[in-house]
Amino acid sequence: MCGIIGYIGHRDIVSVLLAGLKRMEYRGYDSSGLAVLGSDGIDLKKRIGKIADLEEDLNGQKIPGWLGIGHTRWATHGVPSTLNAHPHKTRSGELALIHNGIIENYTAIRDDLSRKGHHFTTETDTETLLHLIQDYYRGCTLEEAVREALKHVKGTYGIAVISRTEPDKIVVARQGSPIVLGIGENENFVASDMAAFIEYTKDVIYLNEGETAVIYKDHFEHKTLNNHKINRKPERINLSVEQIEKSGYPHFMLKEIFEQDHTVEDAIRGRLREDEGTARLYGLGKYKDALTDAKRVIIVACGTSYHAGLIGEYMLEEFGGIPVEVEYASEFRYRNPIIEPGTIVFAISQSGETADTLAAMREAKHKGAVCLAICNVVGSTIAREADAGLYLYAGPEIGVASTKAFTSQITVLALITLYIARRKKMSILDGQKWVKEMKSLQRKIQTILKSDGYIKKIAEFFKDRPNFLYLGRGYNYPVAMEGALKLKEISYIHAEGYPAAEMKHGPIALIDKDMPVVFIAIKDGTYDKIMSNIEEVRARNGRVIAIATQGDEEIKSKAESVIYVPEVAYPLMPILTVIPLQLLAYHIASFRGAHIDQPRNLAKSVTVE
Ligand code: M6R
């Protein structure tokens, strides 16, 4: 995790770095810092806490200089503290370094360097890398020293290094953590995420694994770690500043929940063929046939993306007729999965940078599977390393709790299902119905969003409960898990998501008059069964909150609170039923005064194992 930024140019360095760090605060927010290189050498400012705390310390102070680097941290090695915050500077003041990733063999390097007389002051793995570079920085250029040092490093890194004796450059390198260069006019940028510099330039170059760059004010050099030149042209990115601002909402999470009528539509746009009742999936390129003929599909993902994958499993098996397994990427990568010919692996990831998902995809590729990505972040590592894939086009998701990415992921999985189903057994008429249902989603999401005020009242009533249970069946069982995840990660309330029928095999013991139980009780094939589960909870005085189909009067007599959603074809229902759960979690967290966009201990993209 962690966000890094570097800038070289004519603007006020501190302002550029602080603005960029704020945009990347989703990557980590336990401490931050910056280093500016000017005529008096490298000036370092850092502190524990959020970027706003660092900004307050600086109090509008200008640090004269022509280049700088900045960092926002999510601690891996060493507690969050001002001392452990980046940048790290050598004792002589000659070098400063920022790092995103983990140096796995840092203890061995540190022992070795200590024997040579290096003195370490922090608990971080990053300081070891700085000393290693310093050790090689004798009679050679900074770039050479960095390259040499990195030969001895195991682990992951996105780094930026500056030197007082080579004051015209920032040296950067990437292995396992994203780095993107922003190419301006007489100014250049580097960051973990292009959002950090998007108001200055939209021309970017993504570094691939094992690549380095040296950026100067007016040009840059791009090479492999083995010193071979790379001539990759900058690409123009279609991202506006408005897309990464809160636009009047108190939190990014709320903004992103309210964007879903558009983001679901954006995932669909240009991908439906009404006349033929099917989807067109250009992004899958030549792999479309392989997908239709697949003998087996494996979906690897983490967190919310994993929950979307579970819904994909239900759809692809029922309508696509393909056996599907959904695996936590972190588990898949470390067992010895059997990948037979005809296996297609989908890697689902909003960020496209999740370390476990990336590693799982690489392992599957290594074993010969065709790997397809479903990602939101354009140009992300998973998107680029996959054989082909489909983007969500949901725009930047900044709230740590994933919301709009989830509904877009299900939407894309529904498009894939439709495509396969139509090439197999689904009739044109059924395909056209599916298309129509997908097209109706935008309007139906708007209807649900109008219930926000009512959901807020329910949230206020239940906000102090220490535990919640979420229950659903079939397609809405993963939604129950997602609802529970949303609540726990932003409100710190303990919550569990279960298949409703599984309740009586254990969780039912938890139910008493203080336990709110959120049922997703939609009028589908599971309705009667779920009504029985509601009765079981009521019989034990549990407090029932139901997400129900518009027009279902019966449920009013069974649930304490009912949140209605419009009817849609049942495989698409999770796109609707999850929205009230996102809002419920949001408002409960808000009533409890939690840090909604930056919950404790979390980060938006988990780029460490
Ligand atoms: O970027 P990804 O979709 O790969 O991220 C996976 C999880 O880290 C992510 O969904 C996480 O669980 C969210 N915080 C959930 O809201």
Coordinates of all heavy atoms in Angstrom, one line a residue, residues 3-79:
G3 N 1.2 5.6 -0.8 CA 1.2 6.3 -2.0 C 2.5 7.1 -2.1 O 2.9 7.7 -1.1
I4 N 3.0 7.1 -3.3 CA 4.2 8.0 -3.5 C 4.0 9.0 -4.6 O 3.3 8.7 -5.5 CB 5.5 7.1 -3.7 CG1 5.5 6.5 -5.1 CG2 5.7 6.0 -2.7 CD1 6.8 5.8 -5.4
I5 N 4.7 10.1 -4.4 CA 4.6 11.1 -5.5 C 6.0 11.8 -5.6 O 6.7 12.0 -4.6 CB 3.5 12.2 -5.2 CG1 3.5 13.2 -6.3 CG2 3.6 12.8 -3.8 CD1 2.3 14.1 -6.3
G6 N 6.3 12.2 -6.8 CA 7.5 13.0 -7.0 C 7.2 14.1 -8.0 O 6.4 13.9 -8.9
Y7 N 7.9 15.2 -7.9 CA 7.6 16.3 -8.8 C 8.9 17.1 -9.1 O 9.7 17.4 -8.2 CB 6.5 17.3 -8.3 CG 6.4 18.5 -9.2 CD1 5.9 18.4 -10.4 CD2 6.8 19.8 -8.7 CE1 5.7 19.6 -11.2 CE2 6.7 20.9 -9.5 CZ 6.1 20.8 -10.8 OH 6.0 21.9 -11.6
I8 N 9.1 17.5 -10.3 CA 10.2 18.3 -10.7 C 9.7 19.3 -11.7 O 9.2 19.0 -12.7 CB 11.4 17.4 -11.2 CG1 12.6 18.3 -11.6 CG2 11.0 16.5 -12.4 CD1 13.9 17.5 -11.8
G9 N 9.9 20.6 -11.3 CA 9.3 21.6 -12.2 C 9.3 23.0 -11.5 O 9.9 23.2 -10.5
H10 N 8.5 23.9 -12.1 CA 8.5 25.3 -11.7 C 7.4 25.6 -10.7 O 7.4 26.7 -10.1 CB 8.2 26.1 -13.0 CG 7.0 25.7 -13.7 ND1 5.7 26.1 -13.4 CD2 6.8 24.8 -14.7 CE1 4.8 25.4 -14.2 NE2 5.5 24.7 -15.0
R11 N 6.5 24.7 -10.4 CA 5.4 25.0 -9.4 C 6.0 25.0 -8.0 O 7.0 24.4 -7.7 CB 4.3 24.1 -9.5 CG 3.6 24.1 -10.9 CD 2.6 23.0 -11.0 NE 2.3 22.7 -12.4 CZ 1.4 23.3 -13.1 NH1 0.6 24.2 -12.6 NH2 1.3 23.1 -14.4
D12 N 5.1 25.5 -7.0 CA 5.4 25.4 -5.6 C 5.4 23.9 -5.2 O 4.4 23.2 -5.3 CB 4.4 26.1 -4.8 CG 4.7 25.9 -3.3 OD1 5.8 26.0 -2.9 OD2 3.7 25.6 -2.6
I13 N 6.6 23.4 -4.9 CA 6.8 21.9 -4.7 C 5.8 21.4 -3.6 O 5.2 20.4 -3.8 CB 8.2 21.6 -4.3 CG1 9.2 22.2 -5.3 CG2 8.4 20.1 -4.2 CD1 9.2 21.7 -6.7
V14 N 5.8 22.1 -2.5 CA 5.0 21.6 -1.3 C 3.5 21.5 -1.7 O 2.9 20.5 -1.4 CB 5.2 22.5 -0.1 CG1 4.2 22.2 1.0 CG2 6.6 22.5 0.4
S15 N 3.0 22.5 -2.4 CA 1.6 22.4 -2.8 C 1.3 21.3 -3.7 O 0.3 20.5 -3.6 CB 1.2 23.7 -3.6 OG 1.6 24.8 -2.9
V16 N 2.2 21.0 -4.7 CA 2.0 19.9 -5.6 C 2.0 18.6 -4.9 O 1.2 17.7 -5.1 CB 3.1 19.9 -6.8 CG1 2.9 18.6 -7.6 CG2 2.9 21.1 -7.6
L17 N 3.0 18.5 -4.0 CA 3.1 17.2 -3.2 C 1.9 17.0 -2.3 O 1.4 15.9 -2.3 CB 4.4 17.2 -2.4 CG 5.7 17.2 -3.2 CD1 6.9 17.1 -2.3 CD2 5.8 16.1 -4.3
L18 N 1.5 18.0 -1.6 CA 0.4 17.8 -0.6 C -0.9 17.5 -1.4 O -1.6 16.6 -1.0 CB 0.2 19.1 0.2 CG 1.2 19.3 1.3 CD1 0.9 20.7 2.0 CD2 1.1 18.2 2.4
A19 N -1.1 18.2 -2.5 CA -2.4 17.9 -3.2 C -2.3 16.5 -3.7 O -3.4 15.8 -3.7 CB -2.5 18.9 -4.4
G20 N -1.2 16.0 -4.2 CA -1.1 14.7 -4.8 C -1.3 13.7 -3.6 O -1.9 12.6 -3.8
L21 N -0.7 13.9 -2.5 CA -0.8 13.0 -1.4 C -2.3 12.9 -0.9 O -2.7 11.8 -0.6 CB 0.1 13.4 -0.2 CG 1.6 13.3 -0.4 CD1 2.4 13.8 0.8 CD2 2.0 11.8 -0.7
K22 N -3.0 14.0 -0.9 CA -4.4 14.0 -0.5 C -5.2 13.0 -1.4 O -6.0 12.3 -1.0 CB -5.0 15.4 -0.5 CG -4.6 16.1 0.7 CD -5.4 17.4 0.7 CE -4.7 18.4 1.6 NZ -5.0 19.8 1.3
R23 N -4.9 13.1 -2.7 CA -5.6 12.3 -3.7 C -5.2 10.8 -3.5 O -6.0 9.9 -3.9 CB -5.1 12.6 -5.1 CG -5.5 14.0 -5.5 CD -6.8 14.0 -6.4 NE -7.3 15.3 -6.5 CZ -6.8 16.2 -7.4 NH1 -5.7 15.9 -8.1 NH2 -7.3 17.4 -7.4
M24 N -4.1 10.5 -2.8 CA -3.7 9.1 -2.7 C -3.8 8.7 -1.2 O -3.3 7.6 -0.9 CB -2.3 8.9 -3.1 CG -2.1 9.1 -4.6 SD -0.4 8.6 -5.1 CE 0.6 9.8 -4.3
E25 N -4.5 9.5 -0.4 CA -4.6 9.1 1.0 C -5.3 7.8 1.1 O -5.2 7.1 2.1 CB -5.3 10.2 1.7 CG -4.8 10.3 3.2 CD -5.3 11.5 3.9 OE1 -6.1 12.3 3.4 OE2 -4.8 11.8 5.0
Y26 N -6.2 7.4 0.1 CA -6.9 6.1 0.2 C -5.9 5.0 0.3 O -6.2 3.9 0.7 CB -7.8 6.0 -1.0 CG -7.1 5.8 -2.3 CD1 -6.7 4.5 -2.7 CD2 -6.8 6.8 -3.1 CE1 -6.0 4.3 -3.9 CE2 -6.1 6.6 -4.3 CZ -5.7 5.4 -4.7 OH -5.0 5.2 -5.9
R27 N -4.6 5.2 -0.1 CA -3.6 4.1 -0.2 C -3.0 3.9 1.2 O -2.2 2.9 1.3 CB -2.6 4.4 -1.2 CG -3.1 4.6 -2.6 CD -1.9 4.9 -3.5 NE -1.1 3.7 -3.7 CZ -1.3 2.7 -4.5 NH1 -2.3 2.8 -5.3 NH2 -0.4 1.7 -4.5
G28 N -3.3 4.7 2.1 CA -2.7 4.6 3.4 C -2.7 6.0 4.1 O -2.6 7.0 3.4
Y29 N -2.9 6.0 5.4 CA -3.0 7.3 6.0 C -2.6 7.3 7.5 O -3.2 8.0 8.3 CB -4.5 7.8 5.9 CG -5.5 6.7 5.9 CD1 -6.0 6.2 7.2 CD2 -6.1 6.2 4.8 CE1 -6.9 5.2 7.2 CE2 -7.0 5.1 4.8 CZ -7.4 4.7 6.0 OH -8.4 3.6 6.1
D30 N -1.6 6.5 7.8 CA -1.2 6.6 9.2 C -0.1 7.6 9.5 O 0.2 8.0 10.6 CB -0.8 5.2 9.7 CG 0.4 4.5 9.0 OD1 1.4 5.2 8.7 OD2 0.3 3.4 8.6
S31 N 0.7 8.0 8.4 CA 1.7 9.0 8.6 C 2.1 9.5 7.2 O 1.7 8.8 6.2 CB 2.9 8.5 9.3 OG 3.4 7.3 8.6
S32 N 2.7 10.6 7.1 CA 3.1 11.1 5.8 C 4.3 12.0 5.9 O 4.7 12.4 7.0 CB 1.9 11.9 5.2 OG 1.6 13.0 6.0
G33 N 4.8 12.4 4.7 CA 6.0 13.2 4.8 C 6.4 13.7 3.4 O 5.9 13.1 2.4
L34 N 7.3 14.7 3.3 CA 7.8 15.1 2.0 C 9.2 15.6 2.2 O 9.7 15.9 3.3 CB 6.9 16.1 1.4 CG 6.3 17.3 2.2 CD1 7.3 18.4 2.3 CD2 5.0 17.7 1.6
A35 N 10.0 15.5 1.1 CA 11.3 16.0 1.1 C 11.5 16.9 -0.1 O 11.0 16.6 -1.2 CB 12.3 14.9 0.9
V36 N 12.0 18.1 0.1 CA 12.2 19.1 -1.0 C 13.7 19.4 -1.2 O 14.4 19.6 -0.2 CB 11.4 20.4 -0.7 CG1 11.7 21.4 -1.8 CG2 9.9 20.1 -0.5
L37 N 14.1 19.3 -2.4 CA 15.5 19.6 -2.7 C 15.7 21.0 -3.2 O 15.1 21.4 -4.3 CB 16.1 18.6 -3.7 CG 17.5 18.7 -4.2 CD1 18.5 18.7 -3.0 CD2 17.9 17.5 -5.2
G38 N 16.5 21.8 -2.5 CA 16.7 23.2 -2.9 C 18.2 23.5 -2.7 O 19.0 22.6 -2.4
S39 N 18.5 24.8 -2.7 CA 20.0 25.2 -2.7 C 20.6 24.8 -1.3 O 21.8 24.7 -1.2 CB 20.2 26.6 -3.0 OG 19.1 27.4 -2.5
D40 N 19.7 24.7 -0.2 CA 20.3 24.3 1.1 C 20.3 22.8 1.3 O 20.5 22.3 2.4 CB 19.5 24.9 2.2 CG 19.6 26.4 2.2 OD1 20.7 26.9 1.7 OD2 18.7 27.1 2.7
G41 N 20.1 22.0 0.3 CA 20.0 20.6 0.4 C 18.6 20.0 0.5 O 17.7 20.6 0.0
I42 N 18.5 18.8 1.1 CA 17.2 18.2 1.2 C 16.5 18.5 2.5 O 17.0 18.2 3.6 CB 17.3 16.6 1.1 CG1 17.9 16.3 -0.3 CG2 16.0 16.0 1.3 CD1 18.3 14.8 -0.4
D43 N 15.4 19.2 2.4 CA 14.6 19.6 3.6 C 13.5 18.6 3.8 O 12.7 18.3 2.9 CB 14.0 21.0 3.4 CG 13.6 21.6 4.7 OD1 13.5 20.9 5.7 OD2 13.3 22.9 4.7
L44 N 13.4 18.0 5.0 CA 12.5 16.9 5.3 C 11.4 17.3 6.2 O 11.7 17.9 7.3 CB 13.3 15.8 5.9 CG 12.7 14.4 5.9 CD1 12.6 13.8 4.5 CD2 13.7 13.5 6.7
K45 N 10.1 17.0 5.9 CA 9.0 17.3 6.9 C 8.2 16.0 6.9 O 7.8 15.5 5.9 CB 8.1 18.4 6.4 CG 8.8 19.7 6.1 CD 9.1 20.5 7.4 CE 9.8 21.7 7.0 NZ 10.8 22.2 8.0
K46 N 8.0 15.5 8.1 CA 7.1 14.3 8.2 C 6.4 14.2 9.6 O 6.9 14.9 10.5 CB 7.8 13.0 7.9 CG 9.2 12.8 8.6 CD 9.9 11.6 8.0 CE 10.9 11.0 8.9 NZ 11.4 9.8 8.4
R47 N 5.3 13.5 9.6 CA 4.7 13.3 10.9 C 3.6 12.2 10.9 O 3.1 11.8 9.8 CB 4.0 14.6 11.3 CG 2.8 15.1 10.5 CD 1.9 16.0 11.4 NE 1.3 15.2 12.4 CZ 0.7 15.8 13.4 NH1 0.6 17.1 13.6 NH2 0.0 15.0 14.4
I48 N 3.3 11.7 12.1 CA 2.3 10.7 12.2 C 1.0 11.4 12.0 O 0.8 12.6 12.2 CB 2.4 10.1 13.6 CG1 1.4 8.9 13.7 CG2 2.1 11.1 14.7 CD1 1.6 8.1 15.0
G49 N 0.0 10.6 11.5 CA -1.4 11.2 11.3 C -1.7 11.4 9.8 O -0.9 10.9 8.9
K50 N -2.7 12.1 9.6 CA -3.2 12.3 8.2 C -2.4 13.4 7.5 O -1.7 14.2 8.1 CB -4.7 12.6 8.2 CG -5.5 11.6 9.0 CD -6.7 11.1 8.3 CE -7.1 9.8 9.0 NZ -8.3 9.3 8.8
I51 N -2.7 13.5 6.2 CA -2.0 14.5 5.4 C -2.4 15.9 5.9 O -1.6 16.8 6.0 CB -2.5 14.5 3.9 CG1 -2.4 13.1 3.4 CG2 -1.6 15.4 3.1 CD1 -1.1 12.4 3.2
A52 N -3.7 16.0 6.4 CA -4.1 17.3 7.0 C -3.2 17.7 8.2 O -3.0 18.9 8.4 CB -5.6 17.2 7.4
D53 N -2.8 16.7 8.9 CA -1.9 17.0 10.1 C -0.5 17.6 9.6 O 0.0 18.5 10.1 CB -1.7 15.8 10.9 CG -3.0 15.3 11.5 OD1 -3.8 16.1 12.0 OD2 -3.2 14.1 11.4
L54 N 0.0 16.9 8.5 CA 1.2 17.4 7.9 C 1.1 18.8 7.4 O 1.9 19.7 7.6 CB 1.7 16.4 6.8 CG 2.9 16.8 6.1 CD1 4.2 16.6 7.0 CD2 3.1 15.9 4.8
E55 N -0.1 19.0 6.7 CA -0.4 20.3 6.2 C -0.4 21.4 7.3 O 0.1 22.5 7.1 CB -1.7 20.3 5.4 CG -1.9 21.4 4.5 CD -3.2 21.2 3.6 OE1 -4.0 20.4 4.0 OE2 -3.2 21.8 2.6
E56 N -1.1 21.0 8.4 CA -1.2 21.9 9.5 C 0.2 22.3 10.0 O 0.5 23.5 10.3 CB -2.0 21.3 10.6 CG -2.7 22.2 11.5 CD -3.5 21.5 12.5 OE1 -4.4 20.7 12.1 OE2 -3.2 21.6 13.7
D57 N 1.0 21.3 10.2 CA 2.4 21.5 10.6 C 3.1 22.5 9.7 O 3.9 23.4 10.2 CB 3.2 20.2 10.6 CG 3.0 19.4 11.8 OD1 2.1 19.8 12.7 OD2 3.7 18.4 12.0
L58 N 2.9 22.4 8.4 CA 3.6 23.2 7.5 C 3.1 24.6 7.5 O 3.8 25.6 7.2 CB 3.5 22.6 6.1 CG 4.4 21.4 5.8 CD1 3.9 20.6 4.7 CD2 5.8 21.8 5.6
N59 N 1.8 24.7 7.8 CA 1.1 26.0 8.0 C 1.4 27.0 6.8 O 1.8 28.1 7.1 CB 1.6 26.6 9.4 CG 0.7 27.7 9.8 OD1 -0.4 27.9 9.3 ND2 1.2 28.6 10.7
G60 N 1.2 26.5 5.6 CA 1.4 27.4 4.5 C 2.9 27.7 4.1 O 3.2 28.5 3.2
Q61 N 3.8 27.1 4.9 CA 5.2 27.4 4.7 C 5.7 27.0 3.3 O 5.4 25.9 2.9 CB 6.0 26.6 5.8 CG 7.5 26.8 5.8 CD 8.1 25.7 6.7 OE1 7.4 25.1 7.5 NE2 9.4 25.5 6.5
K62 N 6.4 27.8 2.7 CA 7.0 27.4 1.4 C 8.4 26.9 1.6 O 9.1 27.5 2.3 CB 7.1 28.6 0.4 CG 5.7 29.3 0.1 CD 5.4 29.1 -1.3 CE 4.1 29.7 -1.7 NZ 2.9 29.1 -1.1
I63 N 8.7 25.8 1.0 CA 10.1 25.3 1.1 C 10.7 25.5 -0.2 O 10.2 24.9 -1.2 CB 10.1 23.8 1.5 CG1 9.3 23.5 2.8 CG2 11.5 23.3 1.7 CD1 9.2 22.1 3.2
P64 N 11.6 26.4 -0.3 CA 12.2 26.7 -1.7 C 12.9 25.5 -2.2 O 13.6 24.8 -1.5 CB 13.2 27.8 -1.4 CG 13.3 27.9 0.1 CD 12.3 27.2 0.7
G65 N 12.7 25.2 -3.5 CA 13.3 24.1 -4.1 C 12.8 23.9 -5.5 O 11.9 24.6 -5.9
W66 N 13.4 22.9 -6.2 CA 12.9 22.6 -7.6 C 12.4 21.2 -7.8 O 11.9 20.9 -8.9 CB 14.1 23.0 -8.6 CG 15.4 22.4 -8.2 CD1 15.8 21.1 -8.4 CD2 16.4 23.0 -7.4 NE1 17.0 20.9 -7.8 CE2 17.4 22.0 -7.2 CE3 16.6 24.3 -6.8 CZ2 18.6 22.3 -6.5 CZ3 17.7 24.5 -6.1 CH2 18.7 23.6 -6.0
L67 N 12.6 20.4 -6.8 CA 12.0 19.0 -6.9 C 11.7 18.5 -5.6 O 12.3 19.0 -4.5 CB 12.9 18.1 -7.7 CG 14.3 17.6 -7.1 CD1 14.1 16.5 -6.1 CD2 15.1 17.1 -8.3
G68 N 10.8 17.5 -5.5 CA 10.5 17.0 -4.2 C 9.8 15.6 -4.3 O 9.4 15.2 -5.4
I69 N 9.8 14.9 -3.2 CA 9.1 13.6 -3.2 C 8.2 13.6 -1.9 O 8.5 14.2 -0.9 CB 10.1 12.4 -3.2 CG1 11.1 12.6 -2.0 CG2 10.7 12.2 -4.5 CD1 12.1 11.4 -1.9
G70 N 7.1 12.9 -2.0 CA 6.2 12.8 -0.9 C 5.6 11.4 -0.7 O 5.6 10.6 -1.7
H71 N 5.1 11.1 0.5 CA 4.7 9.7 0.8 C 3.5 9.7 1.8 O 3.5 10.5 2.7 CB 5.9 9.0 1.4 CG 5.7 7.5 1.6 ND1 5.1 7.0 2.7 CD2 6.0 6.5 0.8 CE1 5.1 5.7 2.6 NE2 5.6 5.3 1.5
T72 N 2.5 8.9 1.6 CA 1.5 8.6 2.6 C 1.6 7.1 2.9 O 1.6 6.3 2.0 CB 0.1 9.1 2.1 OG1 -0.8 8.8 3.2 CG2 -0.4 8.5 0.8
R73 N 1.6 6.8 4.2 CA 2.0 5.5 4.6 C 0.9 4.6 5.1 O 0.0 5.1 5.8 CB 3.1 5.6 5.7 CG 3.7 4.3 6.2 CD 5.0 4.5 7.0 NE 5.6 3.2 7.4 CZ 5.7 2.7 8.6 NH1 5.2 3.5 9.6 NH2 6.2 1.6 8.8
W74 N 1.0 3.3 4.9 CA 0.2 2.3 5.5 C 1.2 1.3 6.1 O 1.9 0.6 5.3 CB -0.7 1.6 4.5 CG -1.7 0.6 5.1 CD1 -2.9 0.9 5.6 CD2 -1.5 -0.8 5.2 NE1 -3.4 -0.3 6.1 CE2 -2.6 -1.3 5.9 CE3 -0.4 -1.7 4.9 CZ2 -2.7 -2.7 6.2 CZ3 -0.6 -3.0 5.2 CH2 -1.7 -3.5 5.8
A75 N 1.4 1.4 7.4 CA 2.5 0.7 8.0 C 2.5 -0.8 7.8 O 1.5 -1.5 7.9 CB 2.5 0.9 9.5
T76 N 3.7 -1.3 7.4 CA 3.9 -2.8 7.3 C 5.0 -3.1 8.3 O 4.8 -3.9 9.2 CB 4.3 -3.3 5.9 OG1 5.5 -2.6 5.5 CG2 3.2 -3.1 4.9
H77 N 6.2 -2.5 8.2 CA 7.3 -2.8 9.1 C 7.6 -1.5 10.0 O 8.0 -0.5 9.4 CB 8.6 -3.1 8.3 CG 8.4 -4.4 7.6 ND1 7.5 -4.6 6.6 CD2 9.1 -5.6 7.7 CE1 7.6 -5.8 6.1 NE2 8.6 -6.5 6.8
G78 N 7.3 -1.7 11.2 CA 7.4 -0.5 12.1 C 6.1 0.2 12.3 O 5.4 0.4 11.4
V79 N 5.9 0.5 13.6 CA 4.6 1.2 13.9 C 4.4 2.5 13.2 O 5.4 3.1 12.8 CB 4.5 1.5 15.5 CG1 4.5 0.2 16.2 CG2 5.6 2.4 15.9

